[in-house]
Short mmCIF file of all heavy atoms in Angstrom, two decimals:
data_model
loop_
_atom_site.label_atom_id
_atom_site.label_comp_id
_atom_site.label_asym_id
_atom_site.label_seq_id
_atom_site.Cartn_x
_atom_site.Cartn_y
_atom_site.Cartn_z
N VAL L 34 -8.14 12.71 4.19
CA VAL L 34 -7.32 13.11 5.33
C VAL L 34 -6.94 14.58 5.18
O VAL L 34 -6.44 14.99 4.12
CB VAL L 34 -6.03 12.26 5.43
CG1 VAL L 34 -5.25 12.63 6.70
CG2 VAL L 34 -6.35 10.78 5.41
N GLY L 35 -7.17 15.37 6.21
CA GLY L 35 -6.80 16.77 6.19
C GLY L 35 -5.38 16.98 6.69
O GLY L 35 -4.86 16.21 7.50
N ILE L 36 -4.74 18.03 6.17
CA ILE L 36 -3.42 18.44 6.64
C ILE L 36 -3.60 19.59 7.61
O ILE L 36 -4.30 20.56 7.33
CB ILE L 36 -2.52 18.86 5.47
CG1 ILE L 36 -2.31 17.68 4.50
CG2 ILE L 36 -1.16 19.35 5.98
CD1 ILE L 36 -1.52 18.05 3.25
N CYS L 37 -2.93 19.47 8.75
CA CYS L 37 -3.08 20.43 9.85
C CYS L 37 -1.74 21.11 10.13
O CYS L 37 -0.67 20.54 9.85
CB CYS L 37 -3.56 19.66 11.09
SG CYS L 37 -3.63 20.60 12.62
N HIS L 38 -1.81 22.30 10.71
CA HIS L 38 -0.58 23.00 11.11
C HIS L 38 0.27 22.12 12.02
O HIS L 38 1.52 22.13 11.92
CB HIS L 38 -0.95 24.29 11.84
CG HIS L 38 0.22 24.96 12.51
ND1 HIS L 38 1.19 25.65 11.83
CD2 HIS L 38 0.58 25.01 13.82
CE1 HIS L 38 2.09 26.11 12.68
NE2 HIS L 38 1.74 25.74 13.89
N SER L 39 -0.35 21.34 12.88
CA SER L 39 0.43 20.50 13.79
C SER L 39 1.17 19.40 13.06
O SER L 39 2.19 18.89 13.55
CB SER L 39 -0.46 19.92 14.89
OG SER L 39 -1.54 19.21 14.34
N ASP L 40 0.71 19.02 11.85
CA ASP L 40 1.47 18.07 11.04
C ASP L 40 2.83 18.65 10.67
O ASP L 40 3.83 17.92 10.57
CB ASP L 40 0.71 17.70 9.77
CG ASP L 40 -0.55 16.89 10.04
OD1 ASP L 40 -0.52 16.04 10.95
OD2 ASP L 40 -1.56 17.12 9.36
N PHE L 41 2.88 19.96 10.46
CA PHE L 41 4.15 20.60 10.13
C PHE L 41 5.05 20.74 11.35
O PHE L 41 6.28 20.77 11.21
CB PHE L 41 3.90 21.94 9.45
CG PHE L 41 3.29 21.80 8.08
CD1 PHE L 41 1.99 22.19 7.84
CD2 PHE L 41 4.02 21.23 7.04
CE1 PHE L 41 1.42 22.03 6.59
CE2 PHE L 41 3.46 21.07 5.79
CZ PHE L 41 2.15 21.47 5.55
N GLU L 42 4.46 20.82 12.55
CA GLU L 42 5.27 20.76 13.75
C GLU L 42 5.96 19.39 13.83
O GLU L 42 7.15 19.30 14.14
CB GLU L 42 4.40 20.99 14.99
CG GLU L 42 3.74 22.35 15.07
CD GLU L 42 4.72 23.46 15.40
OE1 GLU L 42 5.83 23.17 15.87
OE2 GLU L 42 4.36 24.64 15.15
N LEU L 43 5.20 18.35 13.53
CA LEU L 43 5.76 16.99 13.50
C LEU L 43 6.83 16.89 12.43
O LEU L 43 7.91 16.32 12.65
CB LEU L 43 4.64 15.99 13.25
CG LEU L 43 5.03 14.52 13.13
CD1 LEU L 43 5.53 13.98 14.47
CD2 LEU L 43 3.85 13.68 12.64
N TYR L 44 6.55 17.42 11.25
CA TYR L 44 7.50 17.38 10.14
C TYR L 44 8.80 18.11 10.48
O TYR L 44 9.89 17.70 10.07
CB TYR L 44 6.83 18.00 8.91
CG TYR L 44 7.67 18.02 7.65
CD1 TYR L 44 8.09 16.83 7.05
CD2 TYR L 44 8.03 19.22 7.05
CE1 TYR L 44 8.85 16.84 5.89
CE2 TYR L 44 8.79 19.24 5.89
CZ TYR L 44 9.20 18.06 5.32
OH TYR L 44 9.95 18.08 4.16
N ALA L 45 8.68 19.17 11.25
CA ALA L 45 9.85 19.96 11.64
C ALA L 45 10.65 19.32 12.77
O ALA L 45 11.74 19.81 13.11
CB ALA L 45 9.42 21.36 12.04
N GLY L 46 10.12 18.26 13.35
CA GLY L 46 10.85 17.57 14.41
C GLY L 46 10.50 18.01 15.81
O GLY L 46 11.23 17.73 16.76
N ARG L 47 9.36 18.68 15.95
CA ARG L 47 8.94 19.09 17.29
C ARG L 47 7.43 18.86 17.40
O ARG L 47 6.70 18.97 16.44
CB ARG L 47 9.26 20.56 17.53
CG ARG L 47 8.65 21.50 16.51
CD ARG L 47 9.01 22.96 16.79
NE ARG L 47 8.36 23.85 15.85
CZ ARG L 47 8.89 24.25 14.70
NH1 ARG L 47 10.12 23.85 14.38
NH2 ARG L 47 8.24 25.07 13.90
N TYR L 48 7.02 18.53 18.60
CA TYR L 48 5.60 18.35 18.85
C TYR L 48 5.39 18.48 20.35
O TYR L 48 6.36 18.44 21.13
CB TYR L 48 5.09 17.01 18.31
CG TYR L 48 3.58 16.86 18.39
CD1 TYR L 48 2.75 17.75 17.73
CD2 TYR L 48 3.00 15.86 19.16
CE1 TYR L 48 1.38 17.66 17.82
CE2 TYR L 48 1.62 15.75 19.26
CZ TYR L 48 0.82 16.65 18.59
OH TYR L 48 -0.55 16.56 18.69
N ILE L 49 4.13 18.62 20.77
CA ILE L 49 3.85 18.90 22.18
C ILE L 49 4.02 17.69 23.09
O ILE L 49 4.03 17.83 24.30
CB ILE L 49 2.44 19.50 22.35
CG1 ILE L 49 1.38 18.59 21.74
CG2 ILE L 49 2.38 20.89 21.73
CD1 ILE L 49 -0.04 19.08 21.94
N ILE L 50 4.10 16.47 22.51
CA ILE L 50 4.45 15.28 23.28
C ILE L 50 5.59 14.58 22.54
O ILE L 50 5.82 14.83 21.35
CB ILE L 50 3.26 14.32 23.47
CG1 ILE L 50 2.79 13.74 22.13
CG2 ILE L 50 2.12 15.01 24.20
CD1 ILE L 50 1.77 12.63 22.26
N PRO L 51 6.33 13.68 23.20
CA PRO L 51 7.44 13.00 22.52
C PRO L 51 6.94 12.14 21.37
O PRO L 51 5.90 11.47 21.47
CB PRO L 51 8.05 12.14 23.63
CG PRO L 51 7.64 12.80 24.90
CD PRO L 51 6.28 13.37 24.65
N VAL L 52 7.69 12.14 20.26
CA VAL L 52 7.37 11.32 19.10
C VAL L 52 8.65 10.66 18.60
O VAL L 52 9.75 11.10 18.91
CB VAL L 52 6.73 12.15 17.96
CG1 VAL L 52 5.40 12.73 18.40
CG2 VAL L 52 7.67 13.25 17.49
N GLU L 53 8.46 9.59 17.82
CA GLU L 53 9.60 8.89 17.22
C GLU L 53 9.34 8.74 15.72
O GLU L 53 8.20 8.63 15.28
CB GLU L 53 9.80 7.52 17.87
CG GLU L 53 10.20 7.58 19.34
CD GLU L 53 10.41 6.20 19.94
OE1 GLU L 53 10.22 5.20 19.21
OE2 GLU L 53 10.78 6.11 21.12
N TYR L 54 10.44 8.70 14.96
CA TYR L 54 10.36 8.54 13.51
C TYR L 54 10.92 7.16 13.13
O TYR L 54 11.75 6.62 13.85
CB TYR L 54 11.15 9.65 12.82
CG TYR L 54 10.65 11.03 13.17
CD1 TYR L 54 11.10 11.68 14.33
CD2 TYR L 54 9.73 11.69 12.38
CE1 TYR L 54 10.64 12.94 14.67
CE2 TYR L 54 9.26 12.96 12.70
CZ TYR L 54 9.72 13.58 13.85
OH TYR L 54 9.25 14.82 14.18
N PRO L 55 10.45 6.60 12.01
CA PRO L 55 9.48 7.12 11.04
C PRO L 55 8.06 7.06 11.59
O PRO L 55 7.76 6.25 12.47
CB PRO L 55 9.64 6.18 9.84
CG PRO L 55 10.09 4.90 10.45
CD PRO L 55 10.97 5.27 11.61
N ILE L 56 7.21 7.93 11.07
CA ILE L 56 5.82 8.00 11.50
C ILE L 56 4.94 8.39 10.31
O ILE L 56 5.36 9.17 9.46
CB ILE L 56 5.66 9.01 12.67
CG1 ILE L 56 4.32 8.85 13.38
CG2 ILE L 56 5.88 10.43 12.20
CD1 ILE L 56 4.24 7.66 14.29
#
Side-chain angles (χ1 to χ4, degrees):
V34 185
I36 299 175
C37 173
H38 169 75
S39 56
D40 292 323
F41 292 111
E42 297 287 343
L43 178 68
Y44 181 63
R47 57 180 183 268
Y48 188 59
I49 55 177
I50 64 171
V52 297
E53 295 181 358
Y54 301 85
I56 195 76

